[in-house]
Amino acid sequence: MTRAAVRYGVTALVLVAFTTAVLLLAGAPPWDAYRSLAVGAFGSWGRLARVLTVWVPLTLCACGLLYTFRIGLWNIGVEGQVVMGAIGATWALRHPAPSAPVAVAGALAAGVVLGAAWAYAAGLLKTRGGVNEIFAGLGLNFVAQGFVLWLIFGPWKRPGVASMSGTAPFPPELWLPTASWGRVAPVAVALAVVAVAATAALLARTRVGLHLSAVGRNPRAAALFGLSPARNMLLAMALGGGLAGLAGALQVAGVYHRLIPAISSGYGYLGLLVAMLAGYRLAPVPVIALFFAALNVGSIQLPLVLEVDSSLSGVIQGAVVLAVLVVHGWSARRAPEGTP
Amino acid sequence: MRTRSLAFVAAALAVALAAAPALAGDAFRFGLLLVGPHNDRGWSQAHYEAGRHVEKTLPGTQMVYIDKVNPADRPGITIPQLVDDLVDKGCRLIIANSDDMKDGVLQAAQEHPDVYFVHVSGDHALTGTAPPNLSNLMGRMEYGKMIAGAAAALTTRTGKIGYVGPLINDETRRLTASCYLGARYAWEKILGRPAKDLEFRVSWIGFWFNIPGVTADPTQVSQNFFDNGYDVVVSGIDTTEALVVADQKRKQGKAVWAIPYDYEGACDTAPDACLGVPYFNWVPGYTELLRQAREGTWKSTWLWLGPDRKDLNNKETSSVGFLPGPALAPEAKAKLDAFVRDLAAGKTNLFQGPLNYQDGSPFLAAGETASDRQIWYMKQLLQGMEGQSSAK
Amino acid sequence: MHIQLVDIHKRFGAVHANRGISLSVGAGTIHGVLGENGAGKSTLMKIVAGFLPKTSGEIRLDGEAVSYRGPADATRRGIGMLYQDPLDFPALTVLENFRFGLETAGRDPRALLADLAGRFGFDLPPDRVVERLTVGERQQLEILRLVARNVRTLILDEPTTGISATQKDVLFAALRRLADEGRSVILVSHKLEDVQVLCDRVTVLREGRVAGEAERPLRTNDLLGLMFGTVPHPPPRCENPAGTPVLRLDGVSAPGGRAGLRDCTVAIRRGEVVGLAGVEGSGQGVFLRVAAGMVRPRRGRVLFEDAPLGRRAAAGRVAFLPTDRLGEGLVPGLTVREHFVLRLPRVPFLLDRATAGPDARAGIDRLSIRGTPGTPVEALSGGNQQRLLLALLPERPAVLLLENPTRGLDLESAHGVWRELQRYCDAGTALVFSSPELDEILLAADRILVFHNGRMVLDTPASRTTPDELARAIAGLGTGAAA
């Protein structure tokens, strides 16, 4: 317990030292930069709402990745699954529905299904085709990105317009309703919270979690217990892909209200980072996701207030990862001997 | 971890609450949302510098800007969010400089009825869908593009002119067509050569600037033009790739030229290859709209501002201009000057029938002169132009 | 070299592996360290060889107290250790491995290797790639390396596991010779007969402490008494009339192991106990996995109760116990109870801390596993892991396939395993097991199949064969039955 506290403390120190150095190099006064970041992320209800808007997809993606990490798979394809979720939602919203709530619910469901299907495809390539899931995922990411570009430039283009900027926005009644106090859809936040709770329950309290652990830690022994590694891998992929697809669908229905090429906003890859920094455990995921979301949103203040390029936030993000890895490396080396 | 992070959040909130909003006294703040980098030597820089200029000429105004406002550069950020930020910073007039921001600006204008909005290049005020606090602003770049086309035709030796187009919409169709009209006029009427010997091809990249992996690469597109015998490439995008590539090809010994776009200083990138640049001067438009907003005489309008026909490059009066480049040969420049004079005097009007659309259907009957609306909403490219007219 | 260990303690977190061990090994002697699994033998030897730091106590070499900075330091001081798994470079040749890190001081390493090998009666082709050597030959190579580096004390951890009888004789002769040259040899083993044949003096460990010492002549019952407190009785044999065929292999060829399995046709009958003999990797492992439905045959058919063996068809009826318990049989990271959950015929969707708890406790009691339902399986000792695997077996399998079921187990644990297997045999289950110990096969099996180079070369009732015939078959020498 105290060891963990020391580790977090040291991580924070390394992180601050590193980012301060970067800020000084970039010619920004560090204290002002930190303050703008904090104010930019939490300075008002509106800002907090925006942080939550980023937190939702990050948390969903990271939660989904826990299933695949649990079974020992690297679901790099999460990015493409977000994109496919967005495509699914857009497809559904383009079709008439009896009422707006039905349409939006259908869009979210379509996103989940398409995201899960895309992950399932990567899983099939792994279990049937023997393709490493990292390469399968990367390949499918490219396919999904190409698909979204084709849809935007082709079948789903705005009338008379051929532009990569995106499809025509949906009428406001098809948007996820936003909160009165800020630009965030309470439904999206609730879904993310439910996803965290469901993931916690599923991994710790059900057959599914036990089976994923068993296959992940020893596929050969799991087979002796009558578990099919392939079937469980596909299940983990589908669960993870479903959550990523939901993230993509929420990007369409709750944030952009249309399909754009950058619809995933890189949240899939960032979600991988969140899951890794959380040590593949669920408890830290919401907190780390909140931190990244705050950094993402707060960084717009850097150009606005200090006229520093906001890509600095990317450098800070990198510094976080580095600090955590460095401290993790130290503490692993100093771990007590033995413990066979 | 959890308690520690909560502590961090709490600390951040404390800092946030302690920090009072730093608002400058009585300054009239206006905000600029730039789609590209503020120093892109193109579209966004033209806006940025007009803002800086107006800040000086209209004492008491102050500019705040955010650049690279597009989903590729700022993932997860939307226009209404950034408008919230600018309003928080005290901005009372907000200028959004991209066609891409069309829907976001409309939404933000409805959400902030007490703040004035300008959407550059849009048509909400023309179609009557704009709320009272939203105006549109655009320069009559058709003028500059016709001159650019003429400069290209007066220079080309192969008779092949390439056009690097951004995406396809009303605006880009009319500008590309203008360029073609200028080129065809110069080719036939000034040089007296047969129309069939002139080739004019458009290649669209898909957005206003290069987004790796999303758009076609404009560098590649320009290279293709030059490698296939097109010796003048006219740029219709926000950035200067065509000019840079032309300069490289010249250094390899090829006789090629390019015409950049948008920004007065664009030729400086590679003067030896630059035939000139049609550019926007947003100073008159900004000045007018800021004046309306400050004096309370604001009215939702659709401003389509033209050149100063007496002084094409006047900073205070001419909203579009053309600066000839160092690479333009003296005799060609003389002919171009004459063409510009005729254009200014109204002796030459290129938007006059008979003109057909690309598929042969009539655009203007013989003798018919196009109205603003007809030009603004062109349905296709014109007969004689090669390239896509609309999305497939 | 005279080695003295004084009051050595070693703790791994809460586990107290060595609890004040003192012993003394004289120069020129062969000293045995005997004890059942988990007695603390390997831990103690790793401390002596510098692989583990001790928690407290003192190591004296020739009277001088030392503390090492690592195994290399220990080697410099003249202590070398031979591990259960050889620490060599499989992709390099014998000579390259031999030269590695060796200062030959101007001597031609090839000549030096030939010289040393001749002295100890080893036959090591210098240009053969090490991965193609047998375990015994790799051991010989390792010994020569250590001797060439002038090691004065040689520690061997279970050196007779996985080597042939001939290799064992050669090894023991070499160790004798080393002792005669004035070097000390420490032999760590749980096999009484090895220690009895070779050692001058024996220290017996039990539960991390010295249980007692003995000198030549070493009497079996004395040693067993020290190891276990009481002398274990051998288990009764299963006597069952063989029934109808239950599992058939029909012209089966399958990949795997060194030699794969080639063209194997055999029928296993209800209630019989079949022992699979052969040099490790001769096809027994593949045979068991094919019979378990885990490896798909490349040619031929496997029939269970006259139907093709499918993955699910025989679930619960054909059970397999692999030799590599943590690698293949159990899931590290999961607890004992969670293994019992996995074994439930229908795992409920919702689980809690009580799910399968009674099963786990019953299994722990029945097989006297040292652990609780909440113990992670990797924290169990080898013997307890094996007992857990037995406890996890389905209630009534028709065929039980066991790969080296007593590997690494001491006598008491091995007997316990057989007593448990007895129950299945009595209930009519067919047992098929492989073992590197011919004794065990002769003791337990009704019928013996001998494998050589992927082929089944002998199929005989145990009552109608001799160790000699089996040994010839194992070596691939003609028995008439060989193809």
Side-chain angles (χ1 to χ4, degrees):
Chain A
M1 207 58 224
T2 44
R3 280 186 58 82
V6 168
R7 204 170 95 189
Y8 290 132
V10 173
T11 307
L13 276 180
V14 171
L15 174 58
V16 169
F18 203 95
T19 45
T20 305
V22 170
L23 287 167
L24 287 173
L25 276 175
W31 172 244
D32 288 350
Y34 289 134
R35 208 184 61 170
S36 333
L37 279 173
V39 173
F42 300 109
S44 70
W45 288 111
R47 299 266 168 70
L48 184 64
R50 225 189 286 174
V51 172
L52 286 176
T53 304
V54 180
W55 177 81
V56 166
L58 275 185
T59 304
L60 286 173
C61 288
C63 275
L65 286 162
L66 291 182
Y67 295 103
T68 44
F69 276 124
R70 183 60 71 98
I71 204 165
L73 291 176
W74 276 81
N75 182 18
I76 298 281
V78 56
E79 186 75 14
Q81 291 145 27
V82 175
V83 171
M84 291 311 284
I87 289 175
T90 309
W91 174 83
L93 286 175
R94 291 171 66 86
H95 287 78
S99 72
V102 171
V104 174
L108 297 186
V112 171
V113 169
L114 224 62
W118 208 242
Y120 199 86
L124 279 180
L125 282 173
K126 161 95 180 172
T127 56
R128 292 280 172 83
V131 182
N132 183 307
E133 75 276 9
I134 295 180
F135 298 119
L138 277 177
L140 287 174
N141 285 353
F142 278 111
V143 175
Q145 191 60 38
F147 190 38
V148 87
L149 294 179
W150 175 74
L151 286 171
I152 289 173
F153 212 70
W156 290 354
K157 64 183 187 292
R158 295 178 174 216
V161 175
S163 163
M164 282 303 170
S165 82
T167 62
F170 296 109
E173 59 268 21
L174 292 183
W175 301 2
L176 269 187
T178 50
S180 56
W181 49 272
R183 223 179 275 291
V184 62
V187 175
V189 178
L191 284 173
V193 171
V194 168
V196 171
T199 302
L202 216 53
L203 286 181
R205 293 284 159 81
T206 71
R207 178 171 70 201
V208 174
L210 183 64
H211 285 183
L212 296 186
S213 290
V215 176
R217 286 159 187 269
N218 193 345
R220 299 209 288 175
L224 280 185
F225 283 101
L227 300 178
S228 154
R231 203 142 21 101
N232 279 284
M233 283 181 184
L234 291 174
L235 175 67
M237 289 298 273
L239 284 170
L243 288 182
L246 179 60
L250 288 171
Q251 287 287 98
V252 169
V255 182
Y256 286 107
H257 310 126
R258 59 184 179 135
L259 188 62
I260 61 170
I263 191 74
S264 77
S265 306
Y267 291 154
Y269 292 128
L270 202 54
L272 269 168
L273 217 55
V274 170
M276 284 164 65
L277 290 184
Y280 314 121
R281 288 174 304 128
L282 180 63
V285 159
V287 179
I288 294 174
L290 186 70
F291 176 76
F292 277 108
L295 196 58
N296 209 356
V297 170
S299 66
I300 196 73
Q301 300 296 317
L302 293 178
L304 211 52
V305 177
L306 302 173
E307 308 219 340
V308 185
D309 200 297
S310 65
S311 54
L312 210 56
S313 75
V315 179
I316 295 177
Q317 208 162 288
V320 177
V321 178
L322 233 118
V324 171
L325 291 182
V326 164
V327 175
H328 187 79
W330 281 342
S331 67
R333 281 221 315 219
R334 289 172 48 85
E337 287 278 358
T339 45
Chain B
M1 183 78 205
R2 183 172 289 192
T3 46
R4 195 156 280 276
S5 302
L6 281 178
F8 170 79
V9 172
L13 277 172
V15 170
L17 295 174
L23 247 178
D26 304 328
F28 185 93
R29 279 200 177 180
F30 65 100
L32 215 52
L33 293 175
L34 303 173
V35 68
H38 71 276
N39 55 358
D40 65 355
R41 310 200 73 73
W43 173 260
S44 287
Q45 190 164 358
H47 282 274
Y48 174 79
E49 293 194 352
R52 286 279 179 242
H53 183 91
V54 171
E55 237 180 347
K56 287 194 207 85
T57 54
L58 294 180
T61 59
Q62 198 183 6
M63 178 176 90
V64 181
Y65 77 96
I66 307 176
D67 64 352
K68 297 197 274 187
V69 178
N70 64 79
D73 279 323
R74 296 198 188 281
I77 298 291
T78 62
I79 301 301
Q81 290 176 355
L82 294 182
V83 167
D84 290 349
D85 274 332
L86 291 176
V87 172
D88 282 352
K89 286 270 166 299
C91 293
R92 291 157 69 188
L93 170 73
I94 289 167
I95 302 169
N97 91 330
S98 175
D99 153 64
D100 195 34
M101 305 173 183
K102 183 173 181 172
D103 309 304
V105 170
L106 182 62
Q107 189 193 335
Q110 284 156 348
E111 288 169 353
H112 297 278
D114 48 343
V115 176
Y116 300 112
F117 287 86
V118 178
H119 180 224
V120 174
S121 83
D123 63 354
H124 290 304
L126 180 65
T127 57
T129 50
N133 58 333
L134 172 62
S135 286
N136 292 117
L137 172 65
M138 191 56 190
R140 292 180 187 265
M141 182 45 78
E142 294 66 35
Y143 202 82
K145 284 289 184 184
M146 286 189 279
I147 302 172
L154 291 172
T155 305
T156 178
R157 293 174 188 171
T158 60
K160 293 167 90 170
I161 299 171
Y163 192 97
V164 181
L167 46 85
I168 311 176
N169 65 7
D170 294 327
E171 174 187 339
T172 62
R173 272 194 291 268
R174 70 175 178 266
L175 293 183
T176 314
S178 306
C179 187
Y180 169 70
L181 286 176
R184 196 178 69 176
Y185 179 85
W187 188 258
E188 282 185 318
K189 301 284 159 43
I190 301 176
L191 297 177
R193 304 175 68 168
K196 65 176 172 53
D197 291 350
L198 180 71
E199 274 183 52
F200 188 98
R201 169 170 282 282
V202 193
S203 197
W204 308 101
I205 67 162
F207 199 66
W208 298 103
F209 46 81
N210 183 33
I211 305 174
V214 174
T215 62
D217 180 357
T219 301
Q220 204 78 53
V221 172
S222 308
Q223 262 162 0
N224 278 348
F225 273 134
F226 290 129
D227 292 346
N228 287 300
Y230 292 82
D231 61 349
V232 181
V233 172
V234 183
S235 170
I237 64 173
D238 288 3
T239 46
T240 56
E241 284 86 348
L243 183 59
V244 172
V245 173
D247 197 44
Q248 285 164 359
K249 295 282 173 194
R250 284 183 78 84
K251 290 196 172 111
Q252 293 164 15
K254 278 196 162 182
V256 296
W257 298 267
I259 300 181
Y261 180 38
D262 288 329
Y263 173 61
E264 206 180 346
C267 274
D268 301 349
T269 310
D272 295 345
C274 189
L275 294 179
V277 56
Y279 67 92
F280 288 100
N281 171 27
W282 301 100
V283 170
Y286 279 17
T287 308
E288 168 62 17
L289 290 162
L290 266 169
R291 192 187 55 73
Q292 286 184 14
R294 284 174 94 188
E295 293 173 359
T297 55
W298 179 278
K299 197 167 159 290
S300 174
T301 45
W302 178 74
L303 279 182
W304 198 14
L305 301 179
D308 182 340
R309 286 171 185 259
K310 290 189 207 71
D311 183 1
L312 193 57
N313 294 312
N314 187 316
K315 191 96 203 159
E316 300 305 325
T317 56
S318 189
S319 284
V320 293
F322 184 91
L323 268 188
L328 189 65
E331 64 272 31
K333 183 167 188 310
K335 288 174 180 147
L336 190 67
D337 287 343
F339 170 68
V340 172
R341 272 196 304 277
D342 288 352
L343 214 52
K347 277 206 276 186
T348 312
N349 184 353
L350 301 185
F351 277 100
Q352 199 163 32
L355 279 178
N356 286 343
Y357 279 134
Q358 199 178 31
D359 65 358
S361 60
F363 169 44
L364 296 173
E368 184 184 357
T369 304
S371 69
D372 275 2
R373 258 181 186 273
Q374 276 174 312
I375 296 176
W376 185 270
Y377 291 120
M378 279 183 67
K379 296 275 168 288
Q380 288 180 24
L381 298 181
L382 296 174
Q383 207 165 35
M385 301 172 74
E386 295 169 67
Q388 208 179 319
S389 259
S390 66
K392 272 186 213 119
Chain C
M1 185 192 272
H2 180 211
I3 300 177
Q4 284 169 285
L5 305 179
V6 184
D7 198 24
I8 301 285
H9 282 267
K10 177 65 188 180
R11 290 170 194 275
F12 298 107
V15 179
H16 201 162
N18 288 169
R19 310 173 173 216
I21 294 176
S22 300
L23 64 85
S24 170
V25 179
T29 62
I30 302 183
H31 194 109
V33 176
L34 193 62
E36 65 170 319
N37 275 84
K41 306 180 300 270
S42 291
T43 304
L44 184 69
M45 288 306 121
K46 283 181 181 164
I47 291 173
V48 176
F51 251 89
L52 287 176
K54 57 190 184 295
T55 308
S56 67
E58 199 169 86
I59 301 172
R60 292 188 202 142
L61 304 182
D62 289 332
E64 182 198 349
V66 296
S67 67
Y68 314 121
R69 272 168 295 155
D73 196 21
T75 308
R76 261 196 302 282
R77 292 168 188 273
I79 295 184
M81 179 153 173
L82 222 69
Y83 294 90
Q84 279 180 1
D85 300 309
L87 294 180
D88 50 20
F89 299 95
L92 301 183
T93 65
V94 168
L95 185 62
E96 284 164 338
N97 265 282
F98 178 70
R99 288 170 60 171
F100 208 85
L102 188 67
E103 287 179 28
T104 52
R107 288 201 59 183
D108 175 23
R110 185 178 288 268
L112 182 63
L113 174 64
D115 189 22
L116 284 174
R119 213 164 93 204
F120 290 104
F122 296 164
D123 179 22
L124 287 175
D127 296 315
R128 182 166 295 175
V129 177
V130 163
E131 64 190 348
R132 295 185 53 205
L133 298 183
T134 64
V135 174
E137 286 169 331
R138 286 167 82 167
Q139 225 172 39
Q140 294 173 357
L141 170 62
E142 195 67 14
I143 291 173
L144 294 188
R145 277 191 43 168
L146 290 170
V147 169
R149 299 167 120 210
N150 225 354
V151 159
R152 286 179 297 146
T153 297
L154 189 64
I155 304 171
L156 299 101
D157 192 0
E158 304 282 2
T160 60
T161 305
I163 67 172
S164 69
T166 329
Q167 283 174 334
K168 187 161 118 179
D169 292 342
V170 174
L171 173 70
F172 282 9
L175 296 180
R176 268 271 145 245
R177 206 188 154 91
L178 285 171
D180 291 345
E181 288 173 358
R183 301 180 214 254
S184 319
V185 174
I186 302 178
L187 180 74
V188 179
S189 183
H190 65 269
K191 289 182 195 161
L192 279 181
E193 65 274 19
D194 290 0
V195 172
Q196 280 171 307
V197 167
L198 198 61
C199 295
D200 304 313
R201 199 181 153 78
V202 174
T203 301
V204 182
L205 300 185
R206 194 162 79 216
E207 291 173 356
R209 293 194 177 85
V210 176
E213 303 219 337
E215 302 214 13
R216 267 181 186 282
L218 300 159
R219 274 187 294 271
T220 307
N221 280 2
D222 294 353
L223 294 178
L224 286 176
L226 288 173
M227 278 171 83
F228 302 109
T230 57
V231 182
H233 296 285
R237 268 180 76 100
C238 168
E239 300 291 352
N240 247 350
T244 50
V246 59
L247 188 72
R248 272 179 220 268
L249 271 71
D250 189 6
V252 168
S253 295
R258 194 162 42 79
L261 182 67
R262 286 189 262 171
D263 197 23
C264 181
T265 301
V266 71
I268 307 293
R269 295 184 288 267
R270 278 177 220 285
E272 71 178 345
V273 181
V274 181
L276 309 181
V279 176
E280 219 165 325
S282 298
Q284 310 96 303
V286 188
F287 177 92
L288 290 169
R289 283 171 177 76
V290 167
M294 296 173 67
V295 170
R296 206 173 290 230
R298 193 175 282 157
R299 268 209 317 277
R301 296 184 306 161
V302 184
L303 298 173
F304 172 71
E305 291 176 343
D306 296 324
L309 182 74
R311 236 167 219 265
R312 245 168 296 170
R317 306 295 317 285
V318 179
F320 174 59
L321 236 64
T323 183
D324 182 1
R325 290 154 205 143
L326 272 191
E328 231 178 323
L330 299 171
V331 183
L334 297 194
T335 64
V336 170
R337 182 185 61 78
E338 284 171 322
H339 280 80
F340 278 93
V341 175
L342 287 177
R343 196 203 60 156
L344 291 174
R346 302 192 67 183
V347 184
F349 184 73
L350 286 176
L351 306 175
D352 57 39
R353 288 184 202 290
T355 314
D359 293 11
R361 268 185 295 278
I364 286 171
D365 289 346
R366 186 160 61 83
L367 286 152
S368 23
I369 297 167
R370 262 181 241 162
T372 67
T375 311
V377 292
E378 68 271 24
L380 297 175
S381 71
N384 283 312
Q385 287 171 1
Q386 184 68 313
R387 278 180 222 129
L388 174 59
L389 275 173
L390 288 172
L392 288 168
L393 284 178
E395 282 299 314
R396 286 258 160 145
V399 181
L400 198 45
L401 304 156
L402 310 134
E403 186 181 34
N404 298 353
T406 59
R407 192 183 97 155
L409 301 189
D410 54 63
L411 209 55
E412 169 68 43
S413 304
H415 286 178
V417 166
W418 277 111
R419 270 195 300 275
E420 176 66 15
L421 292 176
Q422 194 67 52
R423 291 191 332 117
Y424 288 96
C425 181
D426 290 343
T429 300
L431 299 185
V432 184
F433 73 100
S434 68
S435 173
E437 314 283 346
L438 218 44
D439 290 347
E440 185 178 30
I441 292 177
L442 281 165
L443 202 69
D446 311 326
R447 179 181 171 197
I448 300 172
L449 311 180
V450 179
F451 287 84
H452 175 75
N453 210 11
R455 287 185 190 279
M456 200 177 81
V457 292
L458 184 65
D459 176 357
T460 175
S463 53
R464 264 182 258 153
T465 186
T466 60
D468 199 44
E469 190 196 11
L470 294 177
R472 289 172 59 82
I474 289 170
L477 302 172
T479 60

